[in-house]
Amino acid sequence: PEVVEGPGFMPECFAPWSADTKYFQWEAKEPPYKIALVNGFVGNIWRIQMIQTAKAFAEQDEIAPLIEEFKIVSTGTDAAAQLGAIEDFINQGYDAIITIAVSPTGFDRVIRLADRNNVVLVPFDNVLDTDKVMMVNEDQRAMGEMSANWLIEHVGNSGKILEVRGVPGNSVDRDRHEAFREIMEADGNDFEIIEVVGNWAPGDSQKVTADAISVHGQFDGIYTQGGTNGSVQALMDAGHPFVPVAGEAENGYRKQIAKHSDEGLKGLSFGQSPGLVAISMKAAIEALQGNKLPQLISVPVPVVDYTSIKDGENFWSELPDDFFTPNEFPPCGVNITAPEIMAKTKDDVK
Amino acid sequence: MEDGAMAAEPAYLEMRGISKNYGGVHALTDVDFAARRGSIHAVLGENGAGKSTLIKIVSGVVAPTRGTMSLDGAPATFGSPLEANAAGIVCIFQELSLMPDLSVADNISITDPPRNRLGLIDTRAQRRRAEELLARVGCEDIDPRERLKNLPLSRRQMVEIAKALGRNPKLLILDEATSALTSADVKKVYSILHALREEGLCLLYISHRMHEIEELADTASVFRNGRHIATFAKGAHSDDEIVQMMIGRDWSNVFPKKPERTAAPEPALEVSNLNWAPTLKRLSLSVGKGEIVGIGGLDGQGQRELLLALFGVLRGVSGSIKVNGAPVAIGSPAAAKRPENAIALIPEDRKTEGLLLPMSVAENITIAALPWLTKGLVIDRSAEAEKIREMVARMQIKVGDLDAPVATLSGGNQQKVVIAKWLLTGARIILLNDPTRGIDVGTKQEIYQLLRSLAAEGAAILFYTTDYDELIGCCDRVLILYDGAIVRELAGTEITETNIVASSLNLPGEGAAA
Amino acid sequence: MSLRIEPPILIGLVFIALILATGTAYTMVTQGTATFISPPYLLQQLHFGAFLGITAAGMMMVILLGHIDLSVPWTLAASAMVGTAVGGVAGDFTALGVGLAVGLINGIGVAVLRVPSMIFTLGVNTVLLGLMVMLTGGFAPQNAATPLMTFLGSLRTYGVPHSVVVWALVSASLIFVLNRTPLGRYMYAIGNEEAAAYLSGVRTRLVIIAAFMICSLCAAVAGLCLAGYSARAFQAMGDQYLLPSIAAVVLGGTNILGGQGKYSGTVVGVVLIVLLQSMLSVMQMDEAYRQMIYGAVIILMLLIYSRGRAQTA
Amino acid sequence: MKTLRLILTQNLGLILAVVLFVALYSIYVALHPNWGLNVVLQNGNETLALIFVGMAQTMAVLVGGLDLSVGPLMTLTNCFGSHVMAGTGGSVVAGVVACLALGSACGCLNGCIIVYGRIQPIIATLATGAIYIGLALLLRPTPGGAIDGDLAWAFTNDINELGMTYGWWGDLGLFGKIPAQPIFLALVVVLVWAPFKRSATGRGAYAIGSNAHAAYMSGVRIDRSKIAAFTLAGFFAACAGVYLTMQMGSGNADAPQAAEYTLRSIATVVIGGTSLYGGSGGVIGTIFGALVLRSISFIFRVVPGDSTFGFVASPLLQPFFEGLILLFAVSLGAARVFRVRNRLSLFT
Ligand SMILES: Nc1ncnc2c1ncn2[C@@H]1O[C@H](COP(=O)(O)OP(=O)(O)OP(=O)(O)O)[C@@H](O)[C@H]1O
Ligand SMILES: Nc1ncnc2c1ncn2[C@@H]1O[C@H](COP(=O)(O)OP(=O)(O)OP(=O)(O)O)[C@@H](O)[C@H]1O
Ligand SMILES: [Mg+2]
Ligand SMILES: [Mg+2]
């Protein structure tokens, strides 16, 4: 793509990451397009929800005519297979490829190939450590900072905090953790932070939280990167009094907040949305039509806390716990609510 | 000891004060032993006498608890078979040491393959070498490229002998190396051994077949209970004397008397038109209650398959089988052992087919009879213990601790465990596949007597053996198999060595004209 | 049958004592309490241990045969997920049924088709993953724990977690099966020499199938408990249980090639692994060091064990 | 004739793997809209690391064991490589050598623990695997490290690109279109595997796998062969790590990926016809095993969504069908079971 000056197309949807984010423009192609989504691992609900959202979005009235073929493959946690799949789709003559990168590095080769073949490559969620490709994400550091600030607000400037981290070695874990620590450990604060690894999985989070409680006694606040409902479950099992918790956007966690906020479970729930996939697809389609877009598109972090939580709006008491609540982004025309995706395909399968 | 005449030439292998203990078991106690170049030295003794232990010490497999060893006058200790090999000691072990997945050629040159300039194995030269060695033992029929596992046991033993020859031994040990060979092959081996003796090799030969010892040995040493009893030159003692030395008691009349029969016995097992292409062809036979029927013939004529077919192991068998007059379909050993069939098989290879080596003697004895020792879902332990005690006593199994692994028993006692296991199921039809292989004369005699007494109690016994003496001495009738079919049935006085040999080669025997 | 403590069990117990001592030293220094030897902490570890313990108990059955079951992670998850999706008491039974069905398929693959268990169960694991992706994607299934699951997985009576009781019951049944029934004897026999067992008239295929069904059933029970503990079933909930369950069985002295091993060893192995993981987590060790220490402890134990064996042999 | 029969019967597993690969890959080629050498190149890129890891596993399987540390070892050398292979020219070569040495050393350590510690390979390597992942995390707490982009490009491409990137040669026509991956693979097979297989040590490895006791009794140097096999496993795993480093241009201590490679490596070995009981087979079969495994996932990318079989590739059914095909592929050998006429032969 060509690097161009801003402002870009539909800025209310495709917001640049920062003021110095550059803009890309591709030669316009005639629709309809062939688009592929190269997912990595599939065995968790976030990914499944993401795939469902992608399928639903591709079938929306305004999008469907623009797409000739939409293909989704999942390659597992194997980087070579993911790179291979992307390259394969480039070779097959696809126009755009959306992907959740298995690794933040190592995409140089497919980026080169995509550029040679004028293919729009859009990593999202787990993005790459490069500025040569258009990407869509929420600000992970912002989530860490937000959690820290919120905890300070509700706990005060000192106390014992439990930090439950995500998958070791992952850049999202690193970003959230570092931003969180920077604020918590800034001058004027005096926190004792106990750190355990919960792998973003509810089971793991629950186990390490329970362990930490039994060894370290009482905490004044908790920050869990993922599997938050597990951490809260551990709190309740241990008979630990409810304390402020900053965590992810699992439906189960929001149910817990709704139920126990008056008992002291003041909760902050921010989330990485599976709906990012729809914005990424939309970005790809706009780019193929020749529109200018920021290199790094920032999607606002959907966040609620115990004061703003509402059944049927930002969580659903009848849906499963692992369901990720935030899914819609009205400024982008992405209006697929969580219950919709599930309901829709249920009919599909029949 | 009567070795005064031979003192002139110094011993090549000399062992002094050798003892070997396995925990509390004294396998060898204070043994002095010597063997000379240019002679074949037989090592004799009952099962468990310590023969294998002795040669395992010589060949570096186990270290003696006490004692010293010297080779050609120089002290020698070997930490592994590899070191013993390097010193020119080559051993053919009782359990063959061949690799089933490798080719025959690979097996023969396993440690010292011919190499090319790059130091890599020269496969062509290796194949030629294998061909030469196989030719030397008279086995031109074996393709050196064939995987070893595709050969029958007797051929494997020949490969093992070829392999040993290829290593240019100075001291060659054969531990029951001919136990599975046919007499033709045995003859070939004899001539090779004689040639080696002429070349000045020192040969140790272990076998339970007395006539082999007679034909081969220059000197013999007898062991009993881990002790060296005597060493003497060929001809110094009669067979009976030697056997008495071995078993330490009076020994006469190996085979029990055969019963006189007036009428044909009531048939227990009737087989007609049994086919299992391509090995078994239209076999019909019957075994009566109280009868011991021998199966003879050259090795590999379908005897093994016949027994397996009757025991439900083979798939695709056609023909009819009747037990006690009723037609049966036996699809598995589990079906064979059911009370209405009550068939047992003493398999060919006790180590892999008969026994669960790491499990205890007790567990091995009851493994087949468990369904009868179970109350509800639970094993009735007191009944089990009772039955085990009974069996150990009845079979005279020499065992210290019933909970010790069966692997620690000597070969003969292991075989008794296999038989005990099946007797416990109350089997009425007993199939035996060469049950006395590698078993000493004393134990053999016990087994013959046991078979006869089982027959007397009404069991029907079908008995395959490679030993003509057993066919002659033990069986009421003998069926000779040739190429998967029964070519001859011998009964009563027809059972003679000449008849057996002739029929095995499918020639008319002496009684045929009559 | 003797009451003599087997060397691997003894070594395991020594290591458990060492871990507890190290953990206690750590908490004494950092917060002045002896948490690691306090009953609530130990009970809690037993509570976690129960999930691994039940899984490992099943795993031991197939390892005794000289086989292995790599489908345990998704058998566990699939049982729990299908169970919660159906819901109620029917759900509980369905969960167990899923376990039995998977075990039957594994057993048939290994015993009848004679595909090596290592690879067949790996394939079954992948298929189960695929099925669960299908299920979740297509039907938005309920995943809240059923009342029985909650009862088994998270409730306690007199402070004793019910999961621990379930583990004890599973253990008692398996000890019974292994020591008192023909099935147990046959399992050891097949693990030692399948051909000899077959020729002894043992219905080896049925025994192998039974062992795999026990293994998968244990995974399903662990799934029930774990779903109760977490209040719901979720994908990948079994992933943490595969390698630790194998390690626990082997650390407990069961021969990975089959035929030898005592059940009590597996219990010791499970406790050892759970405490080790907990200690490393509590000490806030870096993931890098945790992995290395975990690996090193396993090797050290096995080395000591094999030294001991070499000396007695 | 006899020779042919022997070759056929002794290589049934390999032949089956080749047939399976040809069948699956033909489907892919037939459905691919733009199949050509660049697609082969991409396929090779995707498969090479898996092939190497599978080769590593083959070594352990040959001696009758399993190596659960091949994935972690690949990851460790990848992380190590992302440090030492950065730079240009000679230092990169030195880095590659260092990686291969590290992998071999770790493999040798596995071998020593197994041989001198008398621990079953599967459990020893389960433990060392954890240690290697720990080390990898130590080297690369988060993914990163930059290998020279040109290098990464040139060495994961075809001969033309290699020459043109560095100005060594120009367009060599059709010859220049030969992808680099088969060349690397051929080099490793010819220079490392073939000599090993033809050496006494290598044949000792087969002997151990076939019957360890008999091999010992025959005077095979058991310890040496076993350690050599595991060292070579480490070496092959390092080859995978090095290639992954060139491909990714960086290091990533990705434990799930390591686990996935380890498990898949077992599948490649089995599909490739090497017996898990040891003693027969070899890396050539494994290469095809890996190709079969990859071809399965290739197909999902080209199955047209609107065709009769389109549902197979529908995103939420795809993992299921992938598993099913894998299960089918590994069960193919079961055909033997139904042809077996002597049930005793089932047990060996
Ligand atoms: N590994 C072992 N552990 C314990 N005891 C053993 C072991 N090997 C042999 N023995 C015992 O040592 C004694 C001698 O056994 P050995 O194998 O030398 O007898 P043998 O004379 O070769 O008998 P056979 O003719 O049956 O082969 C036997 O009592 C046997 O039980
Ligand atoms: N490995 C085994 N372990 C236990 N039982 C076996 C085994 N193999 C076969 N059997 C038993 O043998 C019976 C028949 O076996 P199988 O199904 O293999 O035979 P088949 O292929 O149908 O042959 P046929 O056509 O001769 O019946 C089964 O009922 C089973 O109990
Ligand atoms: Mg012996
Ligand atoms: Mg049948």
Side-chain angles (χ1 to χ4, degrees):
Chain A
E2 225 179 302
V3 177
V4 295
E5 285 298 311
F9 180 73
M10 274 180 81
E12 69 284 5
C13 172
F14 304 113
W17 196 262
S18 62
D20 46 359
T21 300
K22 55 188 180 181
Y23 286 80
F24 283 151
Q25 187 167 30
W26 281 263
E27 265 171 54
K29 287 189 195 171
E30 276 304 307
Y33 308 115
K34 289 167 84 173
I35 299 180
L37 168 60
V38 179
N39 176 40
F41 182 61
V42 269
N44 69 43
I45 197 154
W46 194 95
R47 296 293 173 112
I48 293 171
Q49 206 178 330
M50 182 275 292
I51 290 174
Q52 296 287 62
T53 308
K55 283 202 309 190
F57 185 68
E59 285 165 19
Q60 290 208 326
D61 292 343
E62 38 319 356
I63 302 298
L66 300 175
I67 299 183
E68 176 193 337
E69 168 115 45
F70 181 52
K71 197 148 204 70
I72 307 177
V73 293
S74 297
T75 54
T77 54
D78 179 351
Q82 186 173 49
L83 294 174
I86 294 173
E87 191 169 334
D88 202 340
F89 284 120
I90 294 174
N91 286 333
Q92 284 187 45
Y94 274 68
D95 301 300
I97 296 161
I98 325 284
T99 185
I100 300 184
V102 166
S103 154
T105 53
F107 280 62
D108 298 355
R109 176 185 168 81
V110 287
I111 294 172
R112 273 199 209 200
L113 281 173
D115 287 348
R116 274 194 189 183
N117 294 286
N118 247 328
V119 174
V120 179
L121 180 64
V122 192
F124 72 101
D125 181 37
N126 283 343
V127 293
L128 307 179
D129 293 346
T130 174
D131 61 358
K132 296 200 186 102
V133 66
M134 180 169 81
M135 303 191 284
V136 176
N137 206 4
E138 296 173 23
D139 189 342
Q140 306 300 330
R141 287 188 56 88
M143 295 187 204
E145 285 164 10
M146 184 190 297
S147 303
N149 287 326
W150 188 87
L151 278 176
I152 291 170
E153 201 178 295
H154 288 80
V155 175
N157 287 67
S158 67
K160 199 153 130 190
I161 303 291
L162 176 65
E163 182 190 2
V164 182
R165 295 187 56 173
V167 172
N170 190 292
S171 63
V172 171
D173 169 65
R174 173 196 62 195
D175 290 350
R176 291 184 183 182
H177 166 73
E178 282 173 0
F180 177 73
R181 284 302 181 103
E182 270 165 35
I183 305 241
M184 296 298 279
E185 286 163 2
D187 290 342
N189 293 340
D190 178 24
F191 289 106
E192 182 193 347
I193 303 180
I194 308 295
E195 187 180 311
V196 290
V197 177
N199 294 321
W200 296 326
D204 293 9
S205 295
Q206 184 179 3
K207 180 168 183 273
V208 293
T209 306
D211 249 0
I213 292 170
S214 73
V215 173
H216 295 277
Q218 194 157 333
F219 291 96
D220 301 310
I222 297 179
Y223 167 48
T224 302
Q225 282 196 21
T228 324
N229 38 354
S231 290
V232 175
Q233 185 75 38
L235 270 190
M236 301 195 291
D237 288 349
H240 189 288
F242 284 120
V243 293
V245 177
E248 251 285 352
E250 300 97 347
N251 198 32
Y253 174 46
R254 292 196 175 174
K255 285 189 208 168
Q256 286 164 336
I257 298 176
K259 194 161 162 206
H260 300 292
S261 66
D262 33 347
E263 297 160 48
L265 182 63
K266 297 182 182 169
L268 172 79
S269 168
F270 54 80
Q272 183 79 342
S273 166
L276 284 176
V277 71
I279 300 176
S280 310
M281 286 165 70
K282 188 169 168 72
I285 291 171
E286 300 302 349
L288 287 170
Q289 290 174 317
N291 293 313
K292 274 194 241 173
L293 291 170
Q295 177 263 322
L296 191 50
I297 298 168
S298 171
V299 176
V301 179
V303 54
V304 298
D305 75 357
Y306 63 103
T307 55
S308 55
I309 199 151
K310 189 146 186 268
D311 195 1
E313 195 165 288
N314 48 33
F315 80 100
W316 288 267
S317 47
E318 76 285 358
L319 283 184
D321 284 1
D322 303 82
F323 207 80
F324 283 80
T325 40
N327 224 52
E328 321 137 73
F329 297 91
C332 301
V334 176
N335 294 318
I336 310 160
T337 65
E340 248 173 29
I341 331 170
M342 291 321 219
K344 185 169 171 32
T345 34
K346 197 169 182 176
D347 298 336
D348 265 11
V349 170
K350 259 190 230 153
Chain B
M1 274 186 228
E2 296 135 79
D3 53 359
M6 291 171 269
E9 199 193 328
Y12 180 67
L13 168 74
E14 190 150 10
M15 304 173 83
R16 293 220 166 275
I18 296 276
S19 296
K20 174 70 195 178
N21 303 341
Y22 290 106
V25 181
H26 299 280
L28 286 177
T29 313
D30 203 15
V31 166
D32 291 330
F33 180 83
R36 248 165 292 277
R37 280 206 189 85
S39 86
I40 300 180
H41 194 133
V43 179
L44 308 174
E46 290 191 275
N47 290 126
K51 307 175 299 291
S52 295
T53 307
L54 181 81
I55 61 113
K56 278 182 187 160
I57 290 171
V58 176
S59 53
V61 178
V62 298
T65 316
R66 266 186 310 281
T68 58
M69 183 164 85
S70 71
L71 202 63
D72 214 2
T77 41
F78 305 123
S80 68
L82 182 67
E83 289 173 25
N85 270 340
I89 299 177
V90 173
C91 183
I92 300 172
F93 294 98
Q94 199 169 359
E95 309 83 14
L96 297 183
S97 36
L98 296 169
M99 280 60 69
D101 296 293
L102 301 192
S103 69
V104 170
D106 279 342
N107 266 293
I108 287 177
S109 309
I110 185 72
T111 45
D112 50 351
R115 293 166 206 254
N116 61 19
R117 268 168 299 132
L118 296 171
L120 301 178
I121 298 169
D122 182 341
T123 36
R124 198 162 306 152
Q126 181 179 276
R127 199 174 133 193
R128 272 198 309 275
R129 178 156 179 257
E131 272 163 2
E132 281 162 21
L133 286 166
L134 287 169
R136 200 165 147 200
V137 298
C139 287
E140 291 88 347
D141 56 312
I142 300 176
D143 188 322
R145 293 166 303 175
E146 187 71 75
R147 295 260 167 97
L148 188 90
K149 63 178 170 196
N150 298 331
L151 302 181
L153 184 59
S154 59
R155 300 283 86 184
R156 291 187 210 179
Q157 248 177 8
M158 294 307 282
V159 172
E160 178 83 66
I161 292 170
K163 170 179 157 193
L165 294 183
R167 295 182 167 193
N168 299 320
K170 296 199 189 97
L171 168 61
L172 177 64
I173 307 171
L174 298 94
D175 188 355
E176 296 180 36
T178 53
S179 61
L181 296 187
T182 56
S183 49
D185 282 332
V186 170
K187 289 268 152 17
K188 286 180 206 151
V189 173
Y190 287 175
S191 67
I192 295 164
L193 295 182
H194 284 132
L196 291 175
R197 174 174 59 189
E198 298 321 311
E199 287 171 25
L201 259 70
C202 175
L203 297 131
L204 295 186
Y205 192 87
I206 301 175
S207 170
H208 291 295
R209 297 182 181 176
M210 292 297 295
H211 61 267
E212 292 191 357
I213 307 291
E214 233 159 84
E215 277 177 65
L216 273 175
D218 305 308
T219 317
S221 293
V222 175
F223 285 75
R224 187 171 76 226
N225 282 337
R227 290 178 187 277
H228 176 234
I229 301 299
T231 296
F232 46 85
K234 176 180 188 164
H237 293 285
S238 73
D239 274 9
D240 283 357
E241 283 171 339
I242 295 174
V243 170
Q244 246 165 53
M245 267 189 242
M246 280 163 60
I247 62 177
R249 61 188 145 88
D250 193 28
W251 180 83
S252 60
N253 217 357
V254 205
F255 297 107
K257 216 170 116 41
K258 297 183 196 174
E260 301 288 331
R261 236 176 257 288
T262 47
E266 184 190 338
L269 175 71
E270 292 162 279
V271 177
S272 62
N273 260 330
L274 195 74
N275 278 299
W276 190 68
T279 317
L280 301 180
K281 292 167 194 155
R282 306 179 62 78
L283 282 162
S284 297
L285 60 96
S286 94
V287 186
K289 289 183 180 156
E291 218 182 4
I292 301 180
V293 175
I295 303 177
L298 301 173
D299 189 43
Q301 303 300 311
Q303 297 99 332
R304 177 181 152 82
E305 288 75 11
L306 169 62
L307 298 183
L308 292 178
L310 295 176
F311 202 53
V313 175
L314 303 185
R315 210 180 255 172
V317 176
S318 71
S320 85
I321 301 175
K322 283 187 194 162
V323 171
N324 296 327
V328 292
I330 296 164
S332 67
K337 82 173 179 188
R338 281 193 204 115
E340 63 269 27
N341 299 331
I343 304 177
L345 171 71
I346 315 300
E348 175 180 31
D349 184 349
R350 59 176 166 265
K351 303 249 179 215
T352 63
E353 298 174 344
L355 294 168
L356 304 154
L357 288 175
M359 291 176 75
S360 71
V361 176
E363 287 169 321
N364 269 284
I365 291 179
T366 53
I367 189 78
L370 277 184
W372 294 279
L373 296 172
T374 305
K375 273 201 195 129
L377 281 175
V378 191
I379 299 172
D380 181 346
R381 286 201 193 174
S382 56
E384 186 188 13
E386 173 65 36
K387 291 282 181 200
I388 292 169
R389 240 177 291 121
E390 232 176 84
M391 269 302 155
V392 169
R394 173 166 178 203
M395 302 290 303
Q396 298 170 29
I397 301 172
K398 282 182 211 114
V399 53
D401 180 3
L402 281 172
D403 289 330
V406 76
T408 58
L409 297 189
S410 74
N413 282 305
Q414 291 184 357
Q415 188 66 289
K416 287 181 181 175
V417 169
V418 179
I419 298 176
K421 166 172 96 174
W422 282 108
L423 292 188
L424 210 50
T425 64
R428 310 296 296 156
I429 298 173
I430 301 173
L431 315 172
L432 300 116
N433 189 344
D434 218 356
T436 56
R437 185 154 79 85
I439 284 181
D440 70 61
V441 275
T443 311
K444 271 185 190 170
Q445 193 183 8
E446 290 173 34
I447 290 179
Y448 302 144
Q449 255 146 15
L450 179 78
L451 294 183
R452 187 46 78 188
S453 68
L454 287 171
E457 291 162 23
I461 294 174
L462 193 58
F463 179 20
Y464 167 53
T465 169
T466 45
D467 189 337
Y468 300 152
D469 292 340
E470 290 182 353
L471 290 176
I472 299 164
C474 229
C475 301
D476 300 318
R477 279 187 293 134
V478 173
L479 310 171
I480 306 291
L481 261 66
Y482 182 83
D483 197 17
I486 296 176
V487 291
R488 185 94 199 271
E489 181 177 332
L490 304 168
T493 51
E494 287 174 331
I495 313 177
T496 63
E497 182 158 359
T498 357
N499 268 340
I500 294 173
V501 172
S503 329
S504 299
L505 301 169
N506 205 13
L507 305 168
E510 57 188 21
Chain C
M1 273 158 227
S2 60
L3 281 174
R4 188 170 54 101
I5 300 184
E6 310 267 313
I9 300 178
L10 195 66
I11 297 165
L13 291 173
V14 171
F15 267 77
I16 290 175
L18 278 177
I19 292 170
L20 288 176
T22 316
T24 309
Y26 172 80
T27 52
M28 285 301 270
V29 171
T30 53
Q31 48 215 341
T33 56
T35 316
F36 261 78
I37 46 176
S38 70
Y41 174 81
L42 290 176
L43 265 182
Q44 176 155 329
Q45 294 315 310
L46 280 181
H47 195 169
F48 298 144
F51 310 132
L52 180 61
I54 298 168
T55 322
M59 187 63 91
M60 181 184 173
M61 298 304 113
V62 293
I63 291 183
L64 268 185
L65 293 180
H67 290 293
I68 204 156
D69 186 351
L70 299 185
S71 72
V72 156
W74 281 89
T75 308
L76 192 157
S79 306
M81 290 177 67
V82 175
T84 55
V86 172
V89 179
D92 302 325
F93 281 104
T94 316
L96 299 179
V98 169
L100 288 173
V102 175
L104 182 66
I105 293 171
N106 282 335
I108 289 176
V110 173
V112 179
L113 302 181
R114 297 202 75 81
V115 182
S117 54
M118 193 76 171
I119 189 74
F120 193 84
T121 55
L122 183 63
V124 168
N125 195 49
T126 320
V127 169
L128 286 172
L129 181 150
L131 282 173
M132 289 307 108
V133 167
M134 237 155 89
L135 176 79
T136 319
F139 303 97
Q142 268 308 325
N143 65 357
T146 64
L148 179 71
M149 293 179 189
T150 313
F151 177 79
L152 295 180
S154 81
L155 299 187
R156 297 168 177 233
T157 303
Y158 301 120
V160 180
H162 294 168
S163 304
V164 178
V165 179
V166 174
W167 183 20
L169 290 176
V170 168
S171 300
S173 337
L174 291 184
I175 289 174
F176 176 79
V177 167
L178 287 181
N179 294 332
R180 293 302 182 96
T181 66
L183 177 63
R185 196 70 70 74
Y186 294 154
M187 280 162 52
Y188 283 101
I190 293 173
N192 278 311
E193 187 65 70
E194 194 177 354
Y198 173 68
L199 283 179
S200 300
V202 175
R203 311 236 278 177
T204 50
R205 296 200 286 203
L206 293 183
V207 175
I208 294 174
I209 292 175
F212 273 94
M213 288 178 73
I214 296 177
C215 178
S216 299
L217 187 63
C218 284
V221 172
L224 285 183
C225 293
L226 195 58
Y229 175 68
S230 310
R232 74 210 178 296
F234 53 98
Q235 308 236 5
M237 65 194 279
D239 284 6
Q240 304 297 319
Y241 291 88
L242 178 64
L243 292 184
S245 69
I246 298 173
V249 172
V250 175
L251 288 182
T254 300
N255 187 344
I256 189 91
L257 303 179
Q260 275 147 317
K262 292 196 97 180
Y263 184 81
S264 48
T266 302
V267 176
V268 172
V270 167
V271 172
L272 179 87
I273 284 190
V274 168
L275 286 178
L276 179 62
Q277 284 177 341
S278 167
M279 182 187 79
L280 295 174
S281 159
V282 163
M283 290 171 83
Q284 298 186 61
M285 204 80 74
D286 251 4
E287 176 72 8
Y289 294 105
R290 280 203 282 163
Q291 292 277 359
M292 289 195 288
I293 293 175
Y294 180 69
V297 167
I298 293 181
I299 290 202
L300 194 64
M301 269 199 65
L302 291 170
L303 281 180
I304 295 175
Y305 173 38
S306 76
R307 278 282 136 247
R309 210 173 23 187
Q311 263 149 29
T312 54
Chain D
M1 203 50 226
K2 173 121 195 255
T3 314
L4 186 66
R5 183 188 66 84
L6 279 174
I7 291 176
L8 283 180
T9 53
Q10 299 188 354
N11 294 291
L12 267 182
L14 172 64
I15 294 167
L16 196 66
V18 174
V19 169
L20 206 55
F21 164 66
V22 171
L24 288 169
Y25 198 71
S26 310
I27 299 179
Y28 173 69
V29 172
L31 291 176
H32 201 288
N34 292 315
W35 189 79
L37 272 177
N38 58 334
V39 175
V40 174
L41 175 94
Q42 174 267 310
N43 296 158
N45 240 334
E46 191 172 343
T47 316
L48 191 59
L50 182 63
I51 288 179
F52 281 136
V53 176
M55 286 166 71
Q57 189 66 267
T58 311
M59 298 313 301
V61 169
L62 274 184
V63 293
L66 265 186
D67 189 341
L68 296 187
S69 74
V70 289
L73 207 42
M74 173 191 82
T75 303
L76 173 59
T77 42
N78 167 235
C79 292
F80 184 64
S82 70
H83 287 285
V84 298
M85 282 163 62
T88 46
S91 69
V92 177
V93 176
V96 171
V97 173
C99 283
L100 298 179
L102 173 72
S104 310
C106 290
C108 183
L109 176 70
N110 283 342
C112 290
I113 292 175
I114 289 160
V115 167
Y116 299 118
R118 293 191 232 181
I119 301 180
Q120 275 305 319
I122 178 170
I123 188 77
T125 51
L126 181 147
T128 55
I131 296 178
Y132 300 148
I133 281 288
L135 285 172
L137 272 167
L138 220 54
L139 287 172
R140 281 274 166 233
T142 52
I147 307 304
D148 180 32
D150 284 341
L151 176 98
W153 174 260
F155 280 89
T156 57
N157 235 308
D158 56 21
I159 293 180
N160 272 341
E161 289 289 346
L162 176 62
M164 293 194 292
T165 309
Y166 291 107
W168 291 340
W169 54 74
D171 192 334
L172 300 179
L174 195 60
F175 171 74
K177 288 219 173 298
I178 298 176
Q181 299 82 15
I183 300 176
F184 290 145
L185 184 60
L187 282 178
V188 172
V189 168
V190 171
L191 296 182
V192 182
W193 166 251
F196 178 76
K197 189 173 174 177
R198 291 274 298 273
S199 71
T201 310
R203 203 180 52 193
Y206 276 87
I208 297 170
S210 189
N211 182 342
H213 183 71
Y216 174 75
M217 294 294 227
S218 307
V220 171
R221 292 171 197 273
I222 301 276
D223 296 0
R224 182 194 287 186
S225 286
K226 235 180 184 170
I227 292 175
F230 278 94
T231 306
L232 209 53
F235 174 83
F236 289 143
C239 289
V242 166
Y243 192 75
L244 201 64
T245 312
M246 292 206 279
Q247 200 179 354
M248 305 291 292
S250 60
N252 184 359
D254 186 343
Q257 173 173 299
E260 179 155 328
Y261 266 91
T262 302
L263 291 181
R264 289 197 161 232
S265 71
I266 302 172
T268 61
V269 172
V270 172
I271 299 175
T274 297
S275 156
L276 280 185
Y277 303 108
S280 69
V283 305
I284 307 299
T286 301
I287 293 173
F288 285 95
L291 287 169
V292 166
L293 217 54
R294 282 296 197 230
S295 300
I296 296 174
S297 29
F298 292 166
I299 291 177
F300 290 112
R301 299 172 196 159
V302 290
V303 171
D306 43 13
S307 67
T308 331
F309 290 105
F311 70 95
V312 169
S314 101
L316 294 177
L317 300 188
Q318 181 195 321
F320 169 70
F321 284 107
E322 211 169 331
L324 216 54
I325 298 174
L326 171 67
L327 207 51
F328 171 76
V330 299
S331 302
L332 271 185
R336 179 188 83 98
V337 173
F338 297 102
R339 274 186 290 116
V340 155
R341 301 183 60 233
N342 179 345
R343 294 196 184 96
L344 277 184
S345 62
L346 290 175
F347 303 114
T348 51

